Amino acid sequence: MNLTQIHKVYFIGIGGIGMSALARYFAFINKAVGGYDKTESPLTQELANSGIDIHYTDDINAVSDEFKKDIEHTLVVYTPAVSSNHSEYQYFLNNGFTIKKRSEVLGLITKDSFCLAVAGTHGKTTTSSILAHLLKETGVKMTAFLGGISEDFNSNFLLEGTEYSVVEADEFDRSFMQLTPNVACVTSMDADHLDIYGDAEELERTFVDFTKRLKPGGKLFVRNGLPLEGLTYGIEDDSDYCIRNIKIERGTYIFDLETPDLKLEGVEFNKPGRHNLLNGLVAFAMAMQAGSPPHRLAEALATFKGVQRRFSYRIKSEDFIFIDDYAHHPTEINAVFEAISEMHPNKKVLAIFQPHLFSRTRDFADAFAKSLSQFENVLLLDIYPAREEPLKGIDSKWLLGKIKSSNKKLISKEQIISEIKSQNPEVLITMGAGDIGLEVVKIKKEMSYAG
């Protein structure tokens, strides 16, 4: 398929974080863009404000004729989250339109660039956002498609040029098998998406298959300890790229960074958590492959602001701290707990968690319970179903019974504010990949008296 012959792009599920980045890209290069999504959100509002036509009912009559009447020059992009019996999807399918998954289109856009791909069950969005920031700060002409809103450029899309590209290599639905990167990393391979893969072994096999998609002469960076062949990165170990001598001063990490060829002392990084240190390290290593000077990269690491909903400080004062995070897997919850314990020791912490997907809750119930039990105070919301129908016997009440925290409670979203005020924590953390993010603005407004 030749994208130069495409003049119009219609998105089914345009409000997804990855889909909206593609929509921004095509609008930026002056294609006509429109789309459907199930729910209006801040992302869809921003797209609409930029001139993109969006509607929220599955109705082919709501689709502009400019897309329906130009089969030859219209591309339809859909997300796997959309049902196959979606009426708009069926219309385009049955009328001869070119229809592709988001991952296929991303592969087409990036195949002729020097592609830097970030893979892993955790850390993709933060790592790719750090990488985009480093490349931008060092003047690399690149396009970045991100899975979150970077606080450095307030977007999930950045176009500084087309010579290089930064993408998240998403393992969901085996999407990353559409990419052919020059440089890639694998941050983690914890069991996840078992509704797709069946078991952890199949997930690992698919990651191995992904690493074989590197272009000839390509480089692979692997977190030390993962069963993959590549250049390793780690903290205080025998990795090829290694962080050593970590200190914390005023909430900032200060450390030495060693590569196979040089050592940089006194490097600074402001995002809490050892997992974020590792994300910053591999982004640094990948950026070196784009020719960026190491000393300039070290300076840029210190100025990275972060990604919305990735250990994001929403309120930070002497008396009250409010952090929001996208954590929706036990490993990610563990990382959040470790970061809070390191940066805010001996504080009263209240954790609010919204489980994401019935299948994930079922598959990792004991691990979720163990990770959440590290918090003394836990508030649990109902499971966010996303693309799934309920599973018998799998609900938040069942999960709550497994959690061993001394103070735990199942609440509705309407009870969040009153519960926070009642418990009066010093540190509040909200976690989850569902619509809990929409509650963050309300919480911040109500609790801003502490800011």
Side-chain angles (χ1 to χ4, degrees):
M1 178 188 177
N2 188 346
L3 286 176
T4 60
Q5 297 174 352
I6 295 298
H7 306 316
K8 304 174 179 69
V9 189
Y10 185 80
F11 290 85
I12 304 176
I14 196 169
I17 192 73
M19 292 280 277
S20 63
L22 278 182
R24 292 180 200 274
Y25 168 78
F26 282 113
F28 192 91
I29 61 173
N30 298 315
K31 308 292 185 184
V33 177
Y36 154 87
D37 205 88
K38 183 179 180 180
T39 309
E40 187 175 12
S41 70
L43 273 177
T44 61
Q45 290 167 359
E46 286 182 17
L47 294 176
N49 290 340
S50 70
I52 294 174
D53 182 30
I54 301 174
H55 61 272
Y56 303 96
T57 55
D58 176 14
D59 180 3
I60 193 61
N61 294 316
V63 180
S64 170
D65 285 344
E66 72 171 321
F67 299 104
K68 292 186 288 188
K69 291 185 176 181
D70 191 0
I71 296 175
E72 184 181 355
H73 300 110
T74 297
L75 169 66
V76 178
V77 187
Y78 74 100
T79 169
V82 170
S83 168
S84 60
N85 60 12
H86 189 278
S87 66
E88 292 184 17
Y89 173 81
Q90 285 295 322
Y91 171 86
F92 289 114
L93 184 68
N94 295 326
N95 283 278
F97 284 81
T98 299
I99 303 178
K100 291 191 177 294
K101 287 183 180 180
R102 179 190 67 87
S103 56
E104 293 178 281
V105 178
L106 195 58
L108 288 169
I109 292 171
T110 60
K111 69 181 177 66
D112 294 327
S113 67
F114 187 99
C115 180
L116 301 109
V118 178
T121 46
H122 321 295
K124 290 187 295 294
T125 297
T126 300
T127 303
S128 56
S129 297
I130 298 170
L131 178 56
H133 170 72
L134 296 181
L135 295 178
K136 182 179 186 296
E137 290 297 299
T138 53
V140 175
K141 303 301 181 185
M142 57 87 197
T143 303
F145 299 90
L146 307 175
I149 304 299
S150 164
E151 294 176 356
D152 291 273
F153 16 92
N154 196 33
S155 179
N156 56 346
F157 169 67
L158 183 68
L159 202 159
E160 298 281 308
T162 57
E163 186 177 347
Y164 293 82
S165 59
V166 174
V167 297
E168 293 188 28
D170 190 0
E171 74 281 358
F172 174 72
D173 201 34
R174 296 178 171 84
S175 292
F176 58 4
M177 298 303 289
Q178 303 291 335
L179 299 173
T180 51
N182 298 82
V183 178
C185 76
V186 178
T187 64
S188 51
M189 297 194 313
D190 293 313
D192 200 0
H193 306 302
L194 298 187
D195 55 327
I196 302 292
Y197 290 97
D199 55 42
E201 289 72 24
E202 178 61 22
L203 176 70
E204 288 193 10
R205 279 192 292 271
T206 309
F207 268 99
V208 172
D209 290 342
F210 164 72
T211 66
K212 295 176 182 176
R213 294 190 59 80
L214 279 166
K215 291 174 183 172
K219 287 194 175 181
L220 176 67
F221 293 90
V222 179
R223 183 172 59 78
N224 201 357
L226 293 180
L228 296 171
E229 292 294 325
L231 292 163
T232 55
Y233 66 97
I235 296 175
E236 298 287 0
D237 56 19
D238 59 352
S239 297
D240 298 306
Y241 292 76
C242 192
I243 285 175
R244 302 189 188 279
N245 305 319
I246 300 171
K247 298 181 293 183
I248 300 175
E249 294 183 6
R250 299 179 304 279
T252 296
Y253 287 117
I254 302 174
F255 53 89
D256 299 335
L257 194 160
E258 296 180 3
T259 79
D261 302 312
L262 78 155
K263 177 179 179 179
L264 299 170
E265 297 181 347
V267 180
E268 296 186 11
F269 190 66
N270 292 304
K271 291 304 293 180
R274 299 294 174 106
H275 62 297
N276 279 323
L277 272 181
L278 288 169
N279 294 337
L281 175 59
V282 73
F284 176 98
M286 294 176 76
M288 285 186 65
Q289 302 305 310
S292 295
H295 287 84
R296 183 68 191 94
L297 287 174
E299 292 173 356
L301 267 180
T303 62
F304 175 68
K305 294 178 182 177
V307 183
Q308 288 182 16
R309 303 217 64 228
R310 268 60 173 192
F311 211 90
S312 300
Y313 284 98
R314 304 308 301 254
I315 298 175
K316 193 173 185 181
S317 69
E318 289 291 325
D319 302 318
F320 180 68
I321 291 167
F322 173 27
I323 300 163
D324 180 44
D325 196 275
Y326 191 68
H328 57 285
H329 185 282
T331 300
E332 295 165 348
I333 295 172
N334 289 337
V336 167
F337 177 79
E338 290 165 6
I340 290 175
S341 300
E342 185 174 50
M343 291 296 178
H344 307 290
N346 306 315
K347 299 280 189 180
K348 180 183 178 182
V349 180
L350 173 62
I352 304 177
F353 178 60
Q354 181 188 48
H356 184 260
L357 299 179
F358 295 102
S359 60
R360 182 181 281 127
T361 306
R362 175 199 62 201
D363 293 339
F364 303 108
D366 290 339
F368 273 124
K370 185 176 180 181
S371 62
L372 290 167
S373 294
Q374 297 173 102
F375 295 95
E376 185 177 344
N377 309 289
V378 176
L379 297 176
L380 203 60
L381 297 173
D382 286 332
I383 296 172
Y384 184 79
R387 58 187 179 270
E388 294 185 337
E389 294 298 321
L391 296 174
K392 186 177 181 179
I394 308 300
D395 56 26
S396 288
K397 183 179 180 181
W398 171 72
L399 177 59
L400 187 74
K402 293 175 174 287
I403 297 171
K404 300 188 184 304
S405 304
S406 57
N407 176 29
K408 60 180 183 178
K409 191 174 183 180
L410 178 62
I411 64 167
S412 66
K413 282 183 282 190
E414 291 72 25
Q415 295 174 286
I416 289 176
I417 300 298
S418 61
E419 281 293 335
I420 295 170
K421 291 182 176 179
S422 173
Q423 299 206 27
N424 193 29
E426 295 171 281
V427 179
L428 172 68
I429 173 73
T430 49
M431 295 179 288
D435 59 3
I436 187 173
L438 300 177
E439 302 300 314
V440 170
V441 174
K442 303 174 192 174
I443 296 171
K444 181 177 179 180
K445 182 179 179 181
E446 286 290 332
M447 304 303 293
S448 60
Y449 69 87

